[in-house]
Amino acid sequence: MELTKIAGIFEKGKGSFYTRGWVKRKRELKNKMFILLRDETDELQCVLDKDKADKKLVDVVEKATIESSIELKGSLRKDERAPNGFELDIEDLKIVGLADTFPIGRDLSEEFLLDVRHLWIRSSKISNALKVRATVFEAFREFMKENNFTETSGPMFVSGSVEGGSTLFKVPYFDKTVYLTQSSQFYLEVMMYSLGNCYTIAPSFRAEKSRTPRHLTEFWHAEAEMPWAGLEDIIDLEERMLKYMVEKVVTDREKELVRLGRDPKTLEPSINKKFHRMTYEEAVKEISKKFSYVKSGFDLGEKEEREFTKDLDRPIILTHYPTSLKPFYHRADPKDPMHVLCNDILAPEGYGEIIGSGERCWNTEELIERIKKDKLPLEPYQWYIDLRKYGSVPHAGFGMGLERFTSWLCKAQTIRDVVPIPRTITRTYP
Ligand code: 4AD
């Protein structure tokens, strides 16, 4: 019978408890030996009185090194001083897998911790963030289901760029060169004609030479496409979705957020208040007060977005970016063709862009003209152009970097802390 969720404790017979896990910490105080046991649920303080215990048991407890996997039997006591109010008096301990000297201690560089990420992943910092990330995925799927979107998936090997050629990873593919996809958007636009509202959660790859706290070369992308919809429809969907997702994480992962140093109360404005909104041009005016080099047509980067959003208490929606800054698929505003009907959503507290979105160019001639203007070959996009020839409809969609979003919720110092095994420009190991 499972008695409590603390470190997977089970009651075995009257008053006798059984548990198992890994040795997180060990210390000795006078005649007492303490083991802090951890598993995926929690931590449990276990104690052995050396003077009273059997010599053989004392030897085994002494032998159990940090990160050894152990099985324990004992009696459970309430103890206010223990980390979660309980302590286990050890009656028996078996070492299942004796650990070598664990290479991770205090005050190590991020580079070293990334080298040993396969071991560092066991830390409470990473495991709490990964639990929040799992709830982020769950919340996205839940919201999409409730809003009648069907899940689907596109290919990862593709023949053309979505977000511009400079960030494509080339892959040898038999006698050809293909690329790893930067976004599944174009395939969602295909599937929309078959499924209607549709979405995917898939990896996207960017050969971006940016070593910032918010860039990965491989990230998980939640993308959706909606037929018969324009810019305002997609903005409305995104705002409702983000509110839903933040609320679910705050409700289901309060403990993890607190452990990560995020006060869940600080996320309430993102649930209860309408998001801020302004056009790109209005934002540029604001940002130029701090950075004089920022003028209309400037491609806002990590630094500018960080400064712009650092004091906000909830996300901000920026609309109508210059046509010159955005890829060809964005529909130009018929009233102002110098700007596109697009929006980005920036997270508060300096985290910056979490969503890229907008209305798609759905007219054949306009699309061909835009592809040519971007100096791209038409051939790889023939199928994409075809979609406009056979019953095209106005449509809109978005892409959200799930780690960017998780990073903000967890108040992470870097996006690398919220992905299990991060991939960056310098890292493909472990
Ligand atoms: O703004 P982006 O480039 O837009 C697209 O890819 C569209 N095709 C999406 C769509 O409309 N279906 O990327 C979308 C989001 C960004 O807002 C950001 O959250 C995330 O993807 N993202 C990254 N996350 C981590 N590391 C990177 N290098 C990222 N690049 C983009």
Side-chain angles (χ1 to χ4, degrees), residues 162-163 182-183 185 206 208 214-217 219 221 223-225 329 344 353-357 360 397-401 404 415:
V162 183
E163 298 300 320
Q182 298 162 310
S183 153
Q185 177 195 324
R206 304 280 168 102
E208 264 167 309
R214 66 177 207 185
H215 282 94
L216 295 165
T217 49
F219 65 96
H221 210 168
E223 297 184 273
E225 212 59 35
Y329 60 76
D344 280 1
E353 189 195 328
I354 48 173
I355 284 187
S357 151
R360 315 306 189 194
F398 70 83
M400 165 162 64
R404 288 256 181 110
I415 196 167

Side-chain angles (χ1 to χ4, degrees), residues 18 82 117 119 126 168 228 340 357 394:
Y18 163 83
R117 180 55 163 231
L119 303 174
I126 306 292
L168 279 172
W228 314 103
V340 284
S357 151

Side-chain angles (χ1 to χ4, degrees), residues 223-263:
E223 297 184 273
E225 212 59 35
M226 191 158 68
W228 314 103
L231 181 62
E232 293 308 319
D233 303 302
I234 203 72
I235 288 178
D236 171 66
L237 182 85
E238 289 158 6
E239 183 162 356
R240 286 190 295 114
M241 175 188 79
L242 289 175
K243 287 181 180 305
Y244 181 94
M245 293 176 71
V246 175
E247 190 166 13
K248 179 159 171 95
V249 169
V250 165
T251 309
D252 292 5
R253 292 294 181 192
E254 189 188 357
K255 186 177 76 183
E256 285 78 8
L257 291 178
V258 170
R259 284 178 175 174
L260 288 162
R262 153 70 76 192
D263 176 357

Side-chain angles (χ1 to χ4, degrees), residues 108-170:
L108 296 164
S109 71
E110 198 207 350
E111 272 316 297
F112 176 77
L113 291 173
L114 286 169
D115 282 340
V116 291
R117 180 55 163 231
H118 51 297
L119 303 174
W120 175 230
I121 203 158
R122 305 171 182 200
S123 67
S124 55
K125 179 175 165 178
I126 306 292
S127 72
N128 283 316
L130 294 185
K131 286 175 191 172
V132 173
R133 182 176 182 268
T135 303
V136 163
F137 277 53
E138 198 185 326
F140 177 71
R141 284 205 164 95
E142 247 176 43
F143 178 86
M144 285 290 140
K145 185 162 188 247
E146 278 175 23
N147 284 272
N148 297 317
F149 278 71
T150 303
E151 183 163 4
T152 185
S153 43
M156 299 290 105
F157 291 130
V158 296
S159 49
S161 78
V162 183
E163 298 300 320
S166 62
T167 65
L168 279 172
F169 277 111
K170 283 186 186 165

Side-chain angles (χ1 to χ4, degrees), residues 14-67:
K14 251 200 169 161
S16 192
F17 294 87
Y18 163 83
T19 189
R20 62 189 171 201
W22 291 264
V23 178
K24 180 170 172 156
R25 269 198 291 276
K26 271 181 88 176
R27 71 191 163 89
E28 279 199 49
L29 201 67
K30 295 185 187 155
N31 58 332
K32 295 216 165 130
M33 296 166 83
F34 294 91
I35 284 185
L36 187 64
L37 181 82
R38 66 152 191 94
D39 74 357
E40 69 286 356
T41 61
D42 216 323
E43 291 168 2
L44 177 69
Q45 184 155 286
C46 308
V47 62
L48 183 77
D49 190 329
K50 268 178 32 174
D51 297 345
K52 293 185 190 155
D54 183 84
K55 168 92 174 62
K56 267 196 203 150
L57 180 59
V58 173
D59 286 351
V60 181
V61 173
E62 251 162 15
K63 208 176 145 202
T65 45
I66 301 294
E67 281 309 315

